Amino acid sequence: MSMMKAAMVESFDEPPHLRSVPVPRPHSGKELVDVLAVGISHATRGAAAGKHYTSPKSLPALAGIDAVVRRKNGDLAFVMSPGTGSLAERILVDPKDLVPVPRGADPAVVAATMNAALSSWVALKARVHFEPGQSVLVIGATGNAGSSGVRVAKHLGAARVVAAGRNRERLDGLLAEGADELVPLTSDEAATAVAYATAAAEIDVVLDYVWGPPAEQAMQAILSARTEHTRILDWVQVGGTGGMSITLGGNALRHNALRISGSGFGSVIMEDADLPGLSAALASGLVGVRPHIVPLADVEKAWAHVDRPGERTVIVP
Ligand SMILES: NC(=O)c1ccc[n+]([C@@H]2O[C@H](COP(=O)([O-])OP(=O)(O)OC[C@H]3O[C@@H](n4cnc5c(N)ncnc54)[C@H](OP(=O)(O)O)[C@@H]3O)[C@@H](O)[C@H]2O)c1
């Protein structure tokens, strides 16, 4: 039996460990592919810690939920599927799940950028009826996913992109990356509310990476200032760095055409999301997340590394 290296989750309280496991045997139309690069996103970390809705139901389990891979014919592709166990030298994939990656693309760059950019791309393409010319507010715009959201929204034709975030230096930098207006999130709640009211009262789509109390504050400020109450406001919950729950009064829903949805594994029909289009855009540099490359042999060190702003750990077998 031929063996390979893989990162195994044995306890939700420990990082994945490097182990030798059998190379999977192709069956039922599945293809054995070489893994080239795996981005260590919040979802990947959360799944390996038992804290994400895609976490394995039993242990031990292979870590990793997506990867850039090379097929038998040499083509590059991206695959995303919880349960894939992508942190391994080779994985079995269903060819219909593969998103083509242009030849010549840097696998580490695609791995670093895909999860971040996919969140806004998929939300705008497949979760709301976003039309070029509409306006988009990104809350949590200073993170990898949020800053990618600014670029993606502009790339998909947003007429106006408003970026809200805490890190002032990073926020200011977004003006050069597609943001038209900024909402600095500070501990001064009144000033934050005024900034939301000024920049985003009539916004069409909100991509919310923060949720929790900061989202409650943003909703309150925007809905209070809104004048066109029947104009659809699509609020998409994409991340939860500020908390996983909100309290929302029924009046807010009755008084405004507010539609709340979420975007992630399970809520999206990926065929609707034009992922090959995203892959091509990333390969040509749409998003600026830098890979911090760590070999698979050092997977435990990779888990201990804290990504700097604009950086994403990428494991290469
Ligand atoms: N659904 C999807 O498809 C999808 C895909 C990718 C990511 N996500 C989710 O999106 C979120 C962000 O991911 P990421 O990759 O961008 O993470 P990241 O690069 O680590 O950035 C985290 C961001 O959250 C901000 N933040 C944290 N707490 C905050 C608070 N209380 N108020 C305002 N901002 C706060 C941070 O601001 P500071 O810099 O000021 O600390 C930072 O900008 C995560 O929850 C992730 O799981 C979802």
Side-chain angles (χ1 to χ4, degrees):
M1 179 188 297
S2 66
M3 304 293 283
M4 66 174 187
K5 298 293 182 203
M8 188 73 79
V9 182
E10 294 170 347
S11 160
F12 288 137
D13 300 324
E14 296 169 14
H17 301 292
L18 190 71
R19 298 288 183 238
S20 264
V21 300
V23 175
R25 287 201 183 163
H27 61 84
S28 321
K30 296 208 170 170
E31 181 179 329
L32 188 64
V33 294
D34 294 325
V35 174
L36 301 181
V38 180
I40 306 303
S41 63
H42 286 285
T44 298
R45 287 180 186 274
K51 293 179 179 159
H52 195 256
Y53 55 93
T54 62
S55 290
K57 301 283 180 278
S58 62
L59 297 181
L62 291 175
I65 57 179
D66 57 30
V68 178
V69 301
R70 184 172 45 231
R71 305 186 68 177
K72 275 183 300 197
N73 64 5
D75 285 351
L76 301 185
F78 175 78
V79 64
M80 176 180 60
S81 168
T84 305
S86 57
L87 272 165
E89 290 177 293
R90 307 180 87 188
I91 55 174
L92 274 189
V93 296
D94 190 329
K96 74 175 170 35
D97 293 338
L98 294 174
V99 177
V101 168
R103 282 202 179 206
D106 182 338
V109 169
V110 176
T113 53
M114 184 59 99
N115 173 270
L118 187 135
S119 59
S120 49
W121 183 279
V122 165
L124 292 175
K125 287 265 187 187
R127 288 300 285 150
V128 297
H129 302 286
F130 171 74
E131 301 282 350
Q134 289 189 314
S135 56
V136 176
L137 164 66
V138 181
I139 304 179
T142 53
N144 284 339
S147 58
S148 303
V150 169
R151 290 188 184 219
V152 164
K154 212 61 186 192
H155 177 81
L156 294 180
R160 202 162 62 87
V161 178
V162 181
R166 294 192 303 193
N167 177 331
R168 190 63 215 236
E169 192 183 339
R170 184 79 189 91
L171 192 65
D172 288 343
L174 293 174
L175 289 171
E177 298 182 29
D180 299 289
E181 283 175 77
L182 305 179
V183 174
L185 302 181
T186 68
S187 54
D188 183 340
E189 293 195 6
T192 300
V194 169
Y196 271 127
T198 306
E202 313 303 337
I203 209 81
D204 294 306
V205 177
V206 177
L207 300 177
D208 188 347
Y209 290 91
V210 178
W211 204 239
E216 291 173 6
Q217 194 191 352
M219 271 185 202
Q220 164 95 31
I222 290 168
L223 296 178
S224 304
R226 204 164 177 85
T227 59
E228 294 182 59
H229 294 281
T230 55
R231 182 189 181 119
I232 299 288
L233 169 51
D234 269 311
W235 200 292
V236 193
Q237 199 272 354
V238 201
T241 55
M244 285 312 291
S245 309
I246 64 163
T247 300
L248 176 66
N251 286 351
L253 291 167
R254 288 204 297 276
H255 192 49
N256 299 281
L258 173 62
R259 294 195 299 210
I260 300 180
S261 61
S263 184
F265 294 113
S267 61
V268 175
I269 299 168
M270 288 299 173
E271 289 73 20
D272 294 347
D274 181 24
L275 292 185
L278 173 60
S279 169
L282 293 180
S284 58
L286 173 65
V287 163
V289 180
R290 301 179 309 280
H292 166 75
I293 296 174
V294 180
L296 178 61
D298 290 334
V299 62
E300 293 183 35
K301 280 191 202 155
W303 241 253
H305 176 79
V306 178
D307 287 335
R308 290 187 289 272
E311 176 186 81
R312 175 63 26 100
T313 294
V314 171
I315 291 186
V316 293

